Amino acid sequence: MVLLCERKAVSASPLISIIIPVYNVKQYLRKCAGSVLRQTYRHLEIILVDDGSTDSSGEMCDRLARQDDRIRVVHKRNAGLGMARNSGLDIAKGEFVMFVDSDDFVDTCMVEKLYAQLEKTGADTSYCGYSEYYGENNIKPQPAAYNNRTFRERDIIDHVLLEMIAGDPEANKEALLSMSVWHALYSMQVIRVHDIRFPSEREFISEDIIFDIAYLQHAACVTYIAEPLYFYRHTNNASLTHSFDERFLNRQKKQYARMDEDLSKIRAVDAYRMRLDRYFLGRVRHFIGMVVAHGRIHRDYDAYATVKRIINDQDVRTVIDRYPYWRNSFQLKMMNMCIAHRWALAAIMLVFLKQLKKNRRF
């Protein structure tokens, strides 16, 4: 059953803005832009934000703009993904907006289907599923958990936003819904009225969820279709060893504090605390995995000492001491138990076993 929502009437074919931040993606940009230009929904403005590219990406943006008058190009000094999206929002003229990362691409019907769902339900925001793209012969669809489901008012926070952060302790998946902004149509009216912008990922490690919290508390009606219409490209640059950062834990602690502050303004702490704690512990486990992978490549790196330092961190102790990890699924419970009991060596061994299991699947 589809719940209909009230929304201000818009034109029969409203202008939709698509914002694409561009930084050193010359090998991917043509495929990304082509998938947007071929959209079956034609009333688009496409904003390419060249974020100070040092390869030929900026010139490619200008060439694409000369080929299609729906494209607008912004050239700016490099400041990161969030700031590039904000530059696009500053000049966007559409009634709705979609974000696409320039190394990804989209189904040619994505805009049409997302907008059709808005029209069908009267919502101001629509989401779809996505596919993980490892290559033409290795695509893993990730349909959205909801299909033809619509939420409004309090349910938007409880069944959309909180499910983006993390599941309850018993949930098998870390989060039911993706927090990424690139699989949705957003209302520019909501964004403009409430002056919603992205923070810098140089300050916060996940700028998307901070945007989600700011936006969804003001959305009147949110709707989902399950179909995977966005293709998220996995590259070698996304590997744990390539992205290793000693500051990862401190940045996650800052992220946690910001999310806690923002959520406390819209919900009682008890309504979100366990989900936020699960999110944080997931990032702690991810960092342990990064440390172990880095130690395997760099033999002079003391991974054991770093893991000990992570699980003895005071903020990690505060969260793990109150989190009911014994209610987690078995594998998750084992790793959280290692953190709770400060078993650094056992945590490292679990990471090795997980990696071995993963390698055997491929």
Side-chain angles (χ1 to χ4, degrees):
M1 178 178 175
V2 177
L3 179 65
L4 295 178
C5 304
E6 294 183 359
R7 170 164 59 84
K8 283 186 177 180
V10 297
S11 59
S13 181
L15 180 67
I16 293 177
S17 303
I18 300 181
I19 297 173
I20 308 176
V22 175
Y23 180 71
N24 291 356
V25 286
K26 62 180 182 180
Q27 67 270 47
Y28 305 126
L29 181 56
R30 188 165 296 280
K31 185 176 182 69
C32 174
S35 70
V36 173
L37 290 168
R38 290 191 297 271
Q39 288 296 301
T40 53
Y41 187 100
R42 302 296 298 171
H43 195 196
L44 304 173
E45 69 164 358
I46 301 160
I47 303 173
L48 301 176
V49 183
D50 170 28
D51 191 32
S53 296
T54 57
D55 65 1
S56 59
S57 297
E59 291 85 349
M60 289 179 67
C61 290
D62 292 333
R63 286 199 299 272
L64 287 165
R66 289 193 292 270
Q67 295 168 14
D68 194 306
D69 60 10
R70 294 176 299 170
I71 295 178
R72 304 166 67 190
V73 179
V74 176
H75 295 285
K76 62 183 291 295
R77 181 177 297 178
N78 178 257
L81 180 64
M83 299 299 99
R85 287 171 175 165
N86 289 343
S87 294
L89 286 173
D90 289 341
I91 65 169
K93 298 177 180 178
E95 295 182 56
F96 299 95
V97 63
M98 188 168 87
F99 303 99
V100 177
D101 288 352
S102 53
D103 49 353
D104 301 331
F105 57 99
V106 297
D107 187 287
T108 55
C109 294
M110 181 172 177
V111 177
E112 179 183 356
K113 290 182 177 181
L114 285 174
Y115 180 69
Q117 184 69 3
L118 289 184
E119 286 293 278
K120 176 182 176 182
T121 62
D124 54 26
T125 310
S126 58
Y127 290 89
C128 64
Y130 68 97
S131 290
E132 296 182 343
Y133 180 86
Y134 296 88
E136 287 300 322
N137 298 316
N138 190 1
I139 300 173
K140 298 181 178 179
Q142 303 292 336
Y146 301 137
N147 187 36
N148 205 27
R149 290 281 303 277
T150 303
F151 305 92
R152 59 181 173 182
E153 299 174 349
R154 188 182 185 91
D155 284 343
I156 295 174
I157 305 301
D158 295 341
H159 298 296
V160 179
L161 178 58
L162 294 185
E163 292 289 4
M164 288 178 174
I165 294 170
D168 288 325
E170 296 84 1
N172 290 326
K173 294 187 69 174
E174 283 285 69
L176 183 66
L177 304 173
S178 170
M179 64 176 64
S180 299
V181 300
W182 35 246
H183 62 308
L185 269 184
Y186 296 98
S187 163
M188 278 300 298
Q189 181 181 11
V190 172
I191 291 171
R192 291 187 185 108
V193 168
H194 299 284
D195 194 26
I196 298 168
R197 291 294 184 272
F198 290 89
S200 171
E201 74 275 12
R202 297 175 183 177
E203 183 179 5
F204 296 102
I205 206 160
S206 177
E207 72 279 6
D208 285 16
I209 190 60
I210 294 177
F211 179 92
D212 290 329
I213 296 171
Y215 179 90
L216 288 172
Q217 64 183 286
H218 299 296
C221 191
V222 173
T223 187
Y224 268 85
I225 54 175
E227 190 174 356
L229 300 172
Y230 188 96
F231 292 85
Y232 174 79
R233 185 189 297 272
H234 285 268
T235 66
N236 292 332
N237 289 345
S239 68
L240 288 178
T241 52
H242 183 90
S243 58
F244 181 72
D245 182 357
E246 283 278 11
R247 303 167 300 162
F248 186 87
L249 181 59
N250 287 333
R251 296 180 69 199
Q252 287 295 346
K253 288 159 58 170
K254 186 174 183 179
Q255 177 92 23
Y256 180 98
R258 171 64 184 269
M259 292 169 65
D260 191 17
E261 177 185 359
D262 291 352
L263 288 167
S264 69
K265 297 173 183 177
I266 57 177
R267 278 292 180 272
V269 172
D270 289 347
Y272 68 82
R273 175 63 70 206
M274 280 196 294
R275 292 178 186 268
L276 188 56
D277 285 351
R278 176 166 180 167
Y279 167 83
F280 179 70
L281 290 173
R283 308 318 291 160
V284 170
R285 294 191 304 273
H286 180 73
F287 188 37
I288 291 173
M290 292 170 66
V291 167
V292 173
H294 189 71
R296 292 181 69 180
I297 301 297
H298 304 276
R299 298 293 182 175
D300 58 338
Y301 180 76
D302 193 342
Y304 176 74
T306 304
V307 172
K308 281 189 67 175
R309 187 163 63 251
I310 294 169
I311 63 179
N312 281 293
D313 178 88
Q314 186 55 56
D315 293 308
V316 174
R317 302 311 314 160
T318 297
V319 173
I320 195 65
D321 286 347
R322 71 182 175 219
Y323 184 73
Y325 64 85
W326 53 89
R327 291 163 55 186
N328 291 155
S329 61
F330 179 77
Q331 184 175 339
L332 196 58
K333 178 166 58 179
M334 291 299 99
M335 192 63 177
N336 281 336
M337 184 182 296
C338 291
I339 296 171
H341 292 278
R342 307 176 198 253
W343 295 338
L345 186 58
I348 291 171
M349 293 304 299
L350 283 176
V351 171
F352 276 128
L353 289 172
K354 182 179 179 181
Q355 189 61 51
L356 183 63
K357 183 179 178 181
K358 180 179 178 181
N359 291 340
R360 283 177 174 174
R361 289 203 304 265
F362 287 94

